[in-house]
Amino acid sequence: YNVLEQKPGTALLEARESGMDIIIKEGLANGRTLRHPRLAELSERMGCGADQLALGVVLAQPFRPRVLSGAVTTDQLSSNLGAVGVCEKLTTTDEGRRVLEEVMDGCRMDSEEYWKDRSALRWN
């Protein structure tokens, strides 16, 4: 689950409601969320990094996930940690709720297209 691939959201909410703990592995979609122009525009509006907004949006979901950031450097980890504060803004302020909705609507990909793109990635 991430801002590009939102289709599992309903199933994840059902799993949470049945008592399961939700762990999201690809919250940044292997970095692809960071190249989305709408996410970049909205992160600038929020005054945060695109990584923080992408992860903050996932954290703000009603299935209350834990999110693995995939950080590999201390700078990435430090930046990713800012997602917690962004999540708080997304869920407690009017502007944050508007941005949350705009990210969800503006970044969503067709699920088949998402997985086609992902399967074409070159892996090291």
Side-chain angles (χ1 to χ4, degrees):
Y1 185 91
N2 54 63
V3 299
L4 304 177
E5 169 56 312
Q6 300 174 25
K7 187 175 180 180
T10 301
L12 293 170
L13 182 56
E14 290 173 8
R16 168 57 84 177
E17 288 171 347
S18 74
M20 292 185 174
D21 191 23
I22 307 300
I23 301 172
I24 301 300
K25 179 181 177 274
E26 293 186 20
L28 294 176
N30 305 98
R32 289 180 294 147
T33 61
L34 306 179
R35 295 187 299 272
H36 196 288
R38 187 68 176 136
L39 186 74
E41 175 187 326
L42 291 167
S43 66
E44 188 173 314
R45 186 165 122 197
M46 287 287 291
C48 65
D51 62 318
Q52 295 169 339
L53 182 55
L55 294 171
V57 166
V58 175
L59 287 168
Q61 297 307 303
F63 46 83
R64 300 184 326 273
R66 299 172 195 253
V67 182
L68 306 178
S69 77
V72 295
T73 68
T74 54
D75 287 343
Q76 289 173 342
L77 180 59
S78 293
S79 183
N80 291 173
L81 287 171
V84 175
V86 171
C87 174
E88 184 175 331
K89 288 178 186 174
L90 294 172
T91 57
T92 63
T93 69
D94 290 340
E95 174 65 6
R97 284 187 283 273
R98 281 191 292 276
V99 169
L100 176 60
E101 186 175 324
E102 289 180 51
V103 171
M104 296 296 288
D105 291 341
C107 296
R108 179 184 302 121
M109 290 179 69
D110 173 75
S111 194
E112 287 183 30
E113 179 184 342
Y114 173 87
W115 289 103
K116 180 181 174 190
D117 288 354
R118 187 184 182 283
S119 67
L121 292 176
R122 247 182 110 197
W123 299 96
N124 301 14

